[in-house]
Structures are given as structure tokens and as C-alpha cells.
Amino acid sequence: MNKIASIVFTMLTIVYPHLNAKTPAGYISMFEPDKVWIYEVRHPKVSDREDYSAYVKDFKFVSVAGDTIVNGRKAVRLQVITKDRDADITYTAAYEEDGRIYELDEKGRFVPTMDFGAYIGDRIEHYTDGKPDGTYMKVTGEEIVQINGMARRMLTIDNSWYWIEGVGAYYEDGEISSIDRPGQKEPLYLIRCFKGDKCIYEDTAVFDVDCP
């Protein structure tokens, strides 16, 4: 092998795994058994209620509630409980494939919400109404972070949004698809995530004490 061919081969050896990467090595699944997410729902201020602050809080508890099949697709069944608003209970579904997360939208279609198969510099096409809309999100950061004693891969999207492996997105506006989830209109902010009894993520801007 001549020198030029050797250099090209070496470059391909480095780049090729990235180009063909799907699920990153050591990937932590999003939808593990006993996983619970606690979200804060922020409603706009009611103009004729001066006693209200800038937003009114409700809370949603999303938990993995077994398996299901939707439109022939194996998925996890997610139970959604809304507190402070008559404790509504609804169900939806989601699945992950090659590090990409898909959730049901209000029209019963699986749409992408996050892609942990992406790497820094990658452009991810955005979806509106279940279809690519010609706009893109860019992965502007990629790092391994320690969260409550466990190393997780975190992607920064457009220098503004964060996806944490095995946990999710802090704010829904930073996801791939602009969707209405079944039974939900307002955007959600993730404040805590549990696996069983262990808290694996907390929004430190909301809580003044350590995650138990």
C-alpha cells in the first residue's frame, strides 16, 4: 500500500464508524421499566386574575406502563397523569430505534422527538404536522455529563436546547417535531426523572435541595 492510499485508509477507518453509527456504544435506553418523568405545565397568565403569577402550574406524571402495539409497531405504553386539574389520566405510546425517539402525536402518528444517534455538527430535519418541513436543527454540542452519579451523553441543539440520554429533553420546543401530544396542549418542562425509587435527574433551577 502506497503512502497516499495508507493515509486515505486511515481517514476512512476514523470517519467510517461515525458515518454508519446508529445507536451509540453504551446507549442508555429512554423507556426503561419503572421510569417516571415529572413535568411542569406552564399556562399563560390569566389577564383578569391579578393574584396569578406569570404562569399557573400544573404537573404531569408520565410513566412506563408496559408494552403495546400501535399500527403494527411494538411500543411502550405511557401513562400520563395530570395533577391539580382533576387528576386526568390518559395513555399514549412511544418507542426508540437506533437511538432515535418516536412518540405518538394527537393524530395517532409516530413522529421523531429526539435523536441520540446524532453527533456534533449533524443537521437534523425538523418536522411539522408529522412531516419534514424543510428546516433543520443542528447539534452544536456533545459531552458526557455526570448526573447523580451516572455518566450520560448530552447533546446541545442549536446552542439552546439539551437532550440527555435516558432522560429526555428539558423543554419540548427543543425537540425534532412540533406536535400536540394526546390530551395535551401546553408545552412541558421536565423537572424530575425517576427510575424506580432513584431520582436520576432534577432541574436545579426549580429545586433548592439535592435530588434524593
Side-chain angles (χ1 to χ4, degrees), residues 68-82:
T68 187
I69 296 178
V70 180
N71 300 327
R73 163 70 66 174
K74 292 182 179 179
V76 295
R77 189 172 188 240
L78 299 177
Q79 181 187 70
V80 183
I81 301 176
T82 303

Side-chain angles (χ1 to χ4, degrees), residues 40-54:
E40 181 181 85
V41 185
R42 300 179 181 178
H43 304 277
K45 180 178 178 179
V46 180
S47 58
D48 60 350
R49 291 289 303 276
E50 294 301 327
D51 55 320
Y52 278 24
S53 60

Side-chain angles (χ1 to χ4, degrees), residues 38-111:
I38 303 176
Y39 294 91
E40 181 181 85
V41 185
R42 300 179 181 178
H43 304 277
K45 180 178 178 179
V46 180
S47 58
D48 60 350
R49 291 289 303 276
E50 294 301 327
D51 55 320
Y52 278 24
S53 60
Y55 54 83
V56 181
K57 294 180 183 178
D58 286 343
F59 294 92
K60 282 188 183 287
F61 296 77
V62 180
S63 59
V64 175
D67 299 319
T68 187
I69 296 178
V70 180
N71 300 327
R73 163 70 66 174
K74 292 182 179 179
V76 295
R77 189 172 188 240
L78 299 177
Q79 181 187 70
V80 183
I81 301 176
T82 303
K83 295 291 187 182
D84 300 335
R85 293 264 171 152
D86 299 325
D88 288 339
I89 299 178
T90 57
Y91 291 89
T92 184
Y95 72 95
E96 52 193 316
E97 185 174 76
D98 296 333
R100 193 169 237 218
I101 310 301
Y102 297 83
E103 294 184 45
L104 275 185
D105 68 4
E106 197 173 43
K107 295 181 180 179
R109 303 168 299 192
F110 280 115
V111 296

Side-chain angles (χ1 to χ4, degrees), residues 147-209:
I147 302 177
N148 293 321
M150 188 169 189
R152 296 177 183 273
R153 187 165 172 262
M154 183 176 76
L155 301 181
T156 304
I157 309 300
D158 291 339
N159 295 314
S160 300
W161 316 109
Y162 300 95
W163 301 344
I164 302 172
E165 186 180 80
V167 173
Y170 163 69
Y171 180 45
E172 290 179 350
D173 272 5
E175 296 181 345
I176 295 173
S177 296
S178 297
I179 63 171
D180 288 325
R181 288 168 171 81
Q184 177 202 325
K185 297 297 182 183
E186 301 82 4
L188 302 182
Y189 296 78
L190 179 63
I191 57 174
R192 274 189 171 174
C193 180
F194 288 82
K195 186 176 186 300
D197 294 332
K198 183 180 180 181
C199 180
I200 61 175
Y201 169 84
E202 65 176 340
D203 179 3
T204 55
V206 174
F207 298 101
D208 294 328
V209 296

